[in-house]
Amino acid sequence: MVPGPRLYRHGVALLATVALASCATVPEPRAKQGFAAARAAMVGRIRRTARREYPKLAATPAFRNALRAVGGVRRELFMPESDRAQAYEDTPLPIGYGQTISDAYIVTVMTAALNLPPHAHVLEVGTGSGYQAAVLSGLAGTVHSIEIVAPLADRAKTLLASLGMTNVTVRAGDGFLGWPEAAPYDGVIVTAGAAEIPPPLIAQLKPGGTLVMPIGPEWPLEQLLVVRKAADGTLDRCSMGPVMFVPLTGRGERVRNPAEPDNRATAACF
């Protein structure tokens, strides 16, 4: 079974959210305790939801490792103080510049779908708040992350460094082009939708590597695709179901073309 459409990182709110009181008014030790409990509850919800929606994936070591990494990252640090009281709700939240931080469920699922080998070398396109990069930091040997909005890239770089995540390198740039000087990668994860996978990202993926990205001819028809590159360079793709991400910008910006394939017919991954 695959989930219904969700709105993830770089998303636009579909429903009005009720503003909650900022945790900035809560004494720090008490706030940390509250966040730790909320994070543990969130991990439990993610586990239960994945067992229902992706039972085969949820039974894999890759999923257990991804969930453990998510449980080890303080999500509240990756959003404005005014929104931190909502940090562990099952929803994307704004981080400025018209962008959002994904809900932790999709971060877990996408990370698990990468099925990273030990000491993996990973490329992330769409740093945003830095939350996905922080999760990858706990699983990969090295992470290179690109963000097209320069102030977000700078903010994420500073935050990740302050948290001691020295295996993550962030830069501002157009993710369509990838990061060729650091290639090849064991895994590539893209957190914005496009009509097709940027060719440079496929070229920079190692044989045997995996790319995870939302792809579709238009926003309402996106599927979260998992693409594996065989030793001979051929690609095998499957779908994790419908999603809705804000479009990739820069050179990868989507232009509606009715001739582009509808990925809804792609075989399910799990």
Side-chain angles (χ1 to χ4, degrees):
M1 183 174 73
V2 295
R6 294 173 177 264
L7 192 67
Y8 297 127
R9 218 286 295 162
H10 283 317
V12 179
L14 291 180
L15 299 175
T17 56
V18 178
L20 300 180
S22 169
C23 70
T25 62
V26 180
E28 185 65 16
R30 188 171 136 210
K32 282 187 177 180
Q33 291 174 5
F35 285 137
R39 186 163 60 252
M42 178 195 73
V43 167
R45 291 195 305 273
I46 292 171
R47 183 183 292 110
R48 291 190 296 272
T49 303
R51 285 173 176 171
R52 183 175 67 251
E53 295 186 340
Y54 300 111
K56 291 182 179 179
L57 177 64
T60 64
F63 178 82
R64 292 192 291 272
N65 291 338
L67 188 57
R68 184 175 63 250
V70 166
V73 175
R74 296 178 58 191
R75 189 169 185 260
E76 73 274 11
L77 299 180
F78 293 85
M79 57 186 61
E81 285 191 2
S82 59
D83 293 321
R84 288 182 181 179
Q86 304 173 70
Y88 296 100
E89 294 183 6
D90 301 325
T91 182
L93 291 165
I95 57 171
Y97 303 94
Q99 309 301 328
T100 66
I101 179 175
S102 282
D103 69 80
Y105 176 73
I106 192 60
V107 170
T108 306
V109 167
M110 291 178 73
T111 301
L114 284 174
N115 193 23
L116 297 173
H119 313 296
H121 184 41
V122 183
L123 173 66
E124 179 195 18
V125 174
T127 314
S129 67
Y131 179 63
Q132 174 73 78
V135 171
L136 291 168
S137 173
L139 295 170
T142 53
V143 180
H144 282 66
S145 186
I146 307 173
E147 171 57 55
I148 201 166
V149 180
L152 287 180
D154 292 341
R155 183 193 301 169
K157 182 188 302 183
T158 299
L159 176 57
L160 292 164
S162 74
L163 295 173
M165 296 178 179
T166 56
N167 62 336
V168 181
T169 304
V170 178
R171 77 176 183 191
D174 188 343
F176 177 91
L177 303 172
W179 198 320
E181 58 269 36
Y185 302 97
D186 296 291
V188 176
I189 187 167
V190 185
T191 54
E196 59 183 3
I197 301 168
L201 302 186
I202 292 295
Q204 292 168 34
L205 185 65
K206 282 184 184 178
T210 301
L211 178 146
V212 179
M213 180 179 181
I215 295 291
E218 57 187 1
W219 188 54
L221 298 178
E222 286 177 353
Q223 297 280 309
L224 184 59
L225 296 188
V226 178
V227 180
R228 295 183 175 87
K229 188 175 185 179
D232 62 1
T234 59
L235 304 178
D236 177 42
R237 64 177 62 196
C238 60
S239 171
M240 297 187 70
V243 290
M244 288 186 286
F245 282 69
V246 166
L248 194 68
T249 56
R251 287 185 58 179
E253 186 170 355
R254 178 165 38 210
V255 177
R256 178 71 175 118
N257 180 357
E260 286 164 350
D262 184 341
N263 291 296
R264 288 177 294 181
T266 303
C269 294
F270 301 100

